[in-house]
Amino acid sequence: MPLPNSMVIFGDSNIATVRRAQDAGLLGFLSAPPEFWGAAGPAYRQLDYRDGALRALGPAGQAAVLAINEAGRLALRPDDFETFVFYGGRLRLAEFFAAYLAVLTDPERAVSAAALAYAAAQFLSERRAVRWARQLKADGADTVVFVAAGFPCWGVVDQEAEGGLLHAAPKLREAPVEARARLWQALEGAFADLGLELVAQPEKTVMEGMFTRPEFAIEGAVQKQDAIHKAPSYAALVLEKRFGGQKAP
């Protein structure tokens, strides 16, 4: 049986942000320190759900997991923890937002709530991490929460250059909060239909349509050309949005 209020943070390289937030004392709103489980880089592909558990496959996958998990846990079972937090997990929500914000900001086009709900459900059906989460729930996991790892940080790379989000859709910068809210609502509903939760990116961290404010970029982001990974302060904000105020008195 899991320990009371126990939590595991699962994911790819983005979970390093959560660990840094924990080390910096920014997650004091949690009832207990979380455990970390996952794999970074190509080793993430060595994870799979088999025989009732998320497992690290092969020597490379096992080494990657053990580099993150200090408890020596090579498998993540549904009854190991009370709460499973999928942080990042290669959901690639920016792809969904870029596609549909471009439509929602076009005054000549209209998209119904039903169409967005269908699009969100279809998007999740193609996500490997969502499939794993559904298997965890089906096998008895109590609470499974997906946390958005955040839109790309603004000002780190040239988003108007070829390959950037604004290259083909410059009007994304004009996307209003109402358009983002419609997409978050569609995604939250699609997750709920699967028995899962989604924690949307805090609106106060967003700017320029669908980018994260530069103060939440990792240290040296411009030099590294890394617009994806975030500062510990971002992890603390988004986790507190869901788990803040739950600490026992």
Side-chain angles (χ1 to χ4, degrees), residues 19-220:
R19 187 186 289 277
R20 290 196 296 272
Q22 172 67 27
D23 292 344
L26 300 179
L27 305 184
F29 50 84
L30 297 179
S31 299
E35 191 171 308
F36 296 86
W37 201 94
Y44 186 81
R45 295 194 292 271
Q46 301 302 310
L47 307 181
D48 202 4
Y49 198 94
R50 296 185 183 181
D51 301 321
L54 262 169
R55 301 179 184 276
L57 307 178
Q62 293 177 1
V65 165
L66 292 179
I68 292 173
N69 183 267
E70 297 175 350
R73 192 188 302 272
L74 289 175
L76 200 56
R77 296 177 174 82
D79 60 352
D80 284 343
F81 296 91
E82 184 179 75
T83 303
F84 293 78
V85 175
F86 280 60
Y87 191 94
R90 303 192 179 182
L91 277 181
R92 295 184 169 88
L93 291 183
E95 295 178 6
F96 181 82
F97 274 81
Y100 288 96
L101 280 178
V103 176
L104 293 177
T105 54
D106 185 345
E108 301 298 321
R109 305 173 71 178
V111 183
S112 68
L116 289 180
Y118 177 84
Q122 181 62 35
F123 181 81
L124 296 190
S125 73
E126 300 167 355
R127 307 272 76 84
R128 193 179 184 195
V130 174
R131 185 180 76 245
W132 292 340
R134 293 184 68 184
Q135 290 172 301
L136 275 170
K137 283 289 289 185
D139 288 340
D142 185 7
T143 302
V144 183
V145 180
F146 277 77
V147 175
F151 299 130
C153 290
W154 182 253
V156 175
V157 300
D158 184 359
Q159 295 291 351
E160 295 180 332
E162 187 172 356
L165 288 174
L166 299 176
H167 179 68
K171 287 189 176 294
L172 285 176
R173 292 183 67 178
E174 302 173 12
V177 60
E178 294 82 8
R180 288 192 296 274
R182 289 190 67 190
L183 295 183
W184 284 122
Q185 183 177 28
L187 287 165
E188 288 166 352
F191 272 102
D193 288 343
L194 301 176
L196 311 171
E197 297 181 40
L198 171 66
V199 183
Q201 177 165 351
E203 186 60 34
K204 66 182 179 181
T205 69
V206 182
M207 66 180 296
E208 300 292 340
M210 58 161 291
F211 295 92
T212 300
R213 293 185 175 277
E215 57 262 38
F216 295 106
I218 60 170
E219 186 176 352

